[in-house]
């Protein structure tokens, strides 16, 4: 059997995060390409312009040196000093193998040997180098008439600062572009996923039992079929549930008359069971137990079919109601624990009594026996806790036990002597929901299950 491959690290991320990351990476990739192109073009252009300017200036200066050497050699030192001060660079002249320097002092040993040899060989050359940690441009020109070589070293500090500033600006632009892409991705994901968010909310409400919810109509051609299909499905499900409830109500009403007759006949037989032989007496007891269970099932079906009936709300002391409801139930029970605070809530007394009776009956019949009853006040809400001594409810079944006709696992049903029809806890959930409360099951400290009901104290 083929196994379904697990999700990768990217698929584990929320969809909104993945959309944001995609926009961020795409924006940074595009901006990076533009930044690299801008850097290449700008740096090449500025370096080319700086080199051309330096070469032109060096040629002019070389002609001046050539003219001075041929007409007035004594003025050469003064000219070199002026040239070095004018271009803020180092000026070097090789004449008869002797170096004459001016301006910024440059160690002749640091000059590129290849460039010097090329100039001395009668060819002009220029090269970018780093001298004493300063990027510089070295321009060499031969002076054939004087059999000399003219070398001019121009520092590129300003150009280097400009290029550094440009590089930082481009890097900052890439970072800002990535952030802007992430923000745009979040905005786009939020707007694109809004229909999915609406669908999730409506589906959650329908799953919670509110089948009247519908998706709003939309003109979007991509979303309109989804909205229409969901609304049609919800409408059909609501009609189906309504038909089932009407059917359950009609059947329950039809069964009440013959059931009442059978219960009355059973009461007569039970009053005269001492006159019956042992085998008949045992049959009467078994039949009486089944009839009581049948009556409980019919009452549950009637309650479910009357789910839309209006609640008759009145102030109810939950602790007093729990104590009174349990007093009418068979068997012994522990005393009701109370927190001492007021636990009065607006509630339908009959339905709340049914909630308590069903929880206690569930603990006695399916939970190994009732071990604790408590009525507490927590954050303005009345809290009812019913603890049993059973094996507890597995986490995977803690929501399913409140569904209609949920009867536990097959092993649990085989090991239980009291088998129900799975409507008691469903009625608990339904009545509590209509009171704007919540019901759930959790582990009891020390083992067993704890069924909890919380009801708001404020008026619904």
């Amino acid at each position: 059997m083929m196994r379904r491959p697990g999700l990768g690290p990217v698929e584990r991320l929320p969809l909104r995060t993945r959309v944001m990351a995609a926009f961020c990476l795409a924006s940074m990739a595009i901006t990076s390409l533009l930044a690299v192109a801008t850097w290449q073009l700008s740096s090449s252009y500025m370096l080319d312009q700086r080199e051309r300017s330096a070469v032109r200036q060096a040629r002019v200066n070389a002609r001046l040196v050539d003219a001075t050497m041929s007409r007035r050699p004594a003025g050469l030192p003064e000219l070199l000093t002026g040239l070095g001060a004018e271009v803020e660079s180092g000026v070097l002249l090789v004449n008869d193998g002797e170096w004459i320097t001016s301006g910024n002092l440059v160690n002749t040993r640091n000059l590129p040997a290849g460039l010097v040899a090329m100039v001395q060989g009668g060819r002009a050359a220029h090269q970018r180098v780093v001298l004493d940690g300063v990027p510089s441009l070295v321009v060499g020109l031969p002076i054939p008439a004087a059999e000399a070589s003219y070398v001019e070293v121009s520092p590129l500090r300003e150009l280097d600062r400009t290029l550094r500033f440009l590089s930082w600006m481009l890097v900052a632009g890439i970072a800002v572009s990535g952030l802007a892409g992430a923000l745009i991705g979040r905005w786009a994901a939020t707007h694109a996923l809004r229909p999915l968010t609406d669908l999730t909310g409506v589906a959650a409400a329908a799953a919670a039992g509110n089948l009247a919810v519908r998706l709003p109509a939309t003109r979007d051609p991509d979303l309109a079929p989804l909205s229409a299909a969901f609304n049609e499905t919800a409408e059909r499900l609501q009609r189906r549930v309504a038909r089932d409830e009407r059917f359950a109500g009609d059947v329950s009403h039809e069964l009440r008359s013959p059931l009442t007759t059978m219960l009355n006949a059973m009461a007569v037989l039970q009053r005269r069971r001492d006159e019956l032989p042992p085998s008949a007496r045992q049959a009467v007891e078994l039949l009486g137990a089944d009839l009581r269970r049948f009556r409980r099932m019919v009452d549950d079906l009637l309650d479910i079919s009357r789910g839309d009936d209006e609640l008759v709300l009145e102030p109810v002391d939950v602790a007093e109601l729990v104590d009174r409801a349990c007093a009418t139930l068979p068997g012994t029970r522990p005393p009701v624990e109370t927190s001492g605070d007021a636990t009065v809530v607006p509630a339908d007394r009959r339905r709340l009594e049914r909630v308590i009776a069903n929880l206690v009956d569930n603990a006695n019949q399916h939970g190994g026996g009732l071990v604790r009853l408590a009525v507490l006040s927590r954050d303005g809400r009345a809290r009812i806790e019913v603890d049993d001594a059973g094996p507890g409810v597995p986490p995977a079944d803690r929501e399913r036990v409140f569904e209609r006709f949920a009867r536990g696992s097959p092993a649990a049903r085989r090991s239980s002597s009291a088998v129900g029809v799975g409507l008691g806890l469903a009625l608990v959930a339904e009545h509590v929901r209509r009171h704007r409360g919540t019901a759930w099951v959790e582990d009891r400290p020390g083992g067993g299950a704890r069924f909890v009901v919380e009801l708001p104290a404020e008026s619904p």
Side-chain angles (χ1 to χ4, degrees):
M1 187 173 76
M2 296 182 61
R3 291 187 177 180
R4 188 177 179 181
L7 295 178
V10 176
E11 287 78 3
R12 293 192 185 99
L13 295 175
L15 181 57
R16 183 178 283 105
T17 302
R18 282 184 278 165
V19 172
M20 289 176 58
F23 270 80
C24 177
L25 293 176
S27 178
M28 291 183 68
I30 295 173
T31 310
S32 299
L33 291 176
L34 294 177
V36 170
T38 301
W39 167 260
Q40 292 292 339
L41 293 175
S42 300
S43 60
S44 299
Y45 176 78
M46 287 188 285
L47 284 172
D48 184 64
Q49 290 297 316
R50 184 69 179 87
E51 288 179 358
R52 289 185 181 184
S53 175
V55 170
R56 284 196 300 267
Q57 185 65 41
R59 286 175 178 171
V60 172
N61 293 342
R63 285 196 292 268
L64 290 175
V65 170
D66 186 15
T68 302
M69 291 179 67
S70 60
R71 297 176 184 176
R72 193 168 59 89
L76 183 61
E78 182 180 355
L79 175 63
L80 293 178
T81 301
L83 293 177
E86 179 181 352
V87 298
E88 296 183 357
S89 61
V91 177
L92 303 95
L93 180 66
V94 183
N95 189 14
D96 295 332
E98 181 183 356
W99 285 93
I100 302 173
T101 64
S102 179
N104 293 332
L105 296 179
V106 177
N107 191 343
T108 57
R109 296 178 181 177
N110 295 334
L111 293 176
L115 181 142
V116 173
M118 187 180 296
V119 175
Q120 289 178 343
R123 295 176 59 186
H126 63 273
Q127 183 178 346
R128 292 196 301 271
V129 296
V130 178
L131 299 176
D132 298 328
V134 179
S136 305
L137 177 65
V138 180
V139 181
L141 297 168
I143 304 178
E147 295 183 354
S149 300
Y150 177 78
V151 179
E152 190 171 290
V153 181
S154 303
L156 303 177
R157 292 188 184 91
E158 292 300 325
L159 180 60
D160 183 64
R161 293 193 188 100
T162 301
L163 292 178
R164 287 178 182 272
F165 177 76
L166 177 61
S167 65
W168 282 112
M169 289 297 295
L170 291 176
V171 171
I174 293 174
V176 172
S177 173
L179 178 61
L183 294 177
I184 294 174
R186 180 178 179 83
W187 177 84
T190 300
H191 283 262
L193 295 177
R194 183 173 296 170
L196 182 60
T197 303
D198 296 339
L199 175 61
T200 302
V202 172
N210 184 11
L211 299 180
V213 294
R214 298 291 185 271
L215 282 175
T218 177
R219 296 181 180 179
D220 192 319
D222 295 325
L223 299 177
L226 174 63
S227 177
F230 179 87
N231 291 341
E232 183 179 359
T233 302
E235 180 70 24
R236 290 182 178 179
L237 181 60
Q238 187 178 20
R239 290 199 299 265
R240 174 66 180 271
V241 172
R243 286 197 303 268
D244 291 344
E245 289 180 348
R246 286 196 300 270
F247 174 77
D250 294 343
V251 171
S252 301
H253 280 292
E254 293 297 328
L255 289 175
R256 293 197 73 177
S257 296
L259 179 60
T260 302
T261 302
M262 287 188 289
L263 287 171
N264 292 333
M266 180 56 59
V268 174
L269 290 175
Q270 287 179 339
R271 284 196 299 268
R272 305 183 61 179
R273 62 182 176 179
D274 294 337
E275 303 175 7
L276 300 175
S279 58
R281 189 183 307 130
Q282 184 179 8
V284 168
E285 291 177 356
L286 292 175
L287 182 59
D290 282 342
L291 284 176
R292 287 191 295 270
R293 176 171 169 267
F294 190 25
R295 182 180 62 183
R296 185 65 176 273
M297 182 185 67
V298 171
D299 292 341
D300 288 344
L301 288 173
L302 280 175
D303 266 358
I304 287 179
S305 65
R306 290 197 297 260
D308 294 332
D309 290 355
E310 192 70 23
L311 295 178
V312 180
L313 298 179
E314 58 180 305
V316 174
D317 188 325
V318 179
E320 178 184 346
L321 185 68
V322 168
D323 189 70
R324 190 177 68 180
C326 294
T328 60
L329 298 176
T332 60
R333 61 173 178 83
V336 179
E337 300 178 14
T338 59
S339 63
D341 300 328
T343 53
V344 177
V345 299
D348 186 307
R349 185 180 296 274
R350 183 186 65 82
R351 285 184 168 86
L352 193 53
E353 285 181 350
R354 190 61 181 275
V355 167
I356 298 165
N358 285 2
L359 289 176
V360 173
D361 181 70
N362 179 77
N364 287 326
Q365 300 296 331
H366 309 287
L370 179 67
V371 296
R372 176 176 173 269
L373 265 174
V375 178
L376 312 173
S377 180
R378 298 281 180 85
D379 301 325
R381 299 171 69 87
R383 179 184 177 106
I384 305 171
E385 296 181 354
V386 180
D387 294 0
D388 62 42
V393 180
D397 295 335
R398 290 181 182 176
E399 291 187 6
R400 194 179 64 85
V401 294
F402 290 100
E403 297 175 359
R404 295 180 183 181
F405 304 106
R407 299 169 58 187
S409 64
R413 292 198 299 267
R414 285 193 300 266
S415 62
S416 177
S417 60
V419 180
V421 294
L423 292 177
L425 293 180
L427 278 173
V428 169
E430 177 67 20
H431 290 336
V432 172
R433 183 188 65 81
R434 296 196 63 198
H435 282 82
R436 298 203 314 171
T438 53
W440 71 92
V441 59
E442 59 189 31
D443 289 330
R444 180 178 71 91
R450 170 175 292 173
F451 285 83
V452 183
V453 170
E454 281 194 354
L455 301 172
E458 68 273 9
S459 177

